[in-house]
Amino acid sequence: MTAKVTLSFSDETIEEARRFAKREGLSLSAWMDQAAREKALREVFTAHADAVNRAGLDLEAAAVADAREVALVDDVLFRGRPRAA
């Protein structure tokens, strides 16, 4: 579903948006929709990262530890042979 809205932008902003939209082969509306969606997602992901940090969780360290564990299990189970896809 698409909503039609009226927005106001500075001359500089709208010219830059038009230039970026043209460069990407998009209509101005499609480019603005994509830019707004990306901004909203950045806000959500930033808020999530802040919450994770406040909780004291280190997801990167956990992911590295998981990868090491998988490698150890693979080594034991497959002894250097590639595992089936």
Side-chain angles (χ1 to χ4, degrees), residues 48-62:
H48 179 263
D50 290 345
V52 166
N53 287 335
R54 281 193 308 276
L57 302 175
D58 188 348
L59 298 180
E60 186 174 345

Side-chain angles (χ1 to χ4, degrees), residues 1 4 12 16 20 31-32 43 52 55 65 68-69 78:
M1 183 172 230
K4 194 166 243 197
E12 181 181 328
E16 287 178 2
F20 288 129
W31 190 87
M32 290 291 211
E43 293 289 330
V52 166
R68 286 186 187 132
E69 188 173 334
F78 302 107

Side-chain angles (χ1 to χ4, degrees), residues 5-68:
V5 297
T6 301
L7 302 170
S8 298
F9 298 96
S10 70
D11 291 339
E12 181 181 328
T13 298
I14 200 66
E15 285 309 313
E16 287 178 2
R18 284 185 174 126
R19 184 168 36 89
F20 288 129
K22 183 177 181 180
R23 183 184 71 189
E24 294 180 25
L26 298 171
S27 68
L28 180 59
S29 291
W31 190 87
M32 290 291 211
D33 181 68
Q34 179 179 312
R37 184 177 297 117
E38 288 173 2
K39 173 67 174 167
L41 287 173
R42 275 194 305 275
E43 293 289 330
V44 168
F45 287 125
T46 297
H48 179 263
D50 290 345
V52 166
N53 287 335
R54 281 193 308 276
L57 302 175
D58 188 348
L59 298 180
E60 186 174 345
V64 169
D66 287 348
R68 286 186 187 132

Side-chain angles (χ1 to χ4, degrees), residues 66-82:
D66 287 348
R68 286 186 187 132
E69 188 173 334
V70 167
L72 289 171
V73 170
D74 281 356
D75 190 46
V76 169
L77 292 177
F78 302 107
R79 301 180 198 272
R81 296 184 316 264

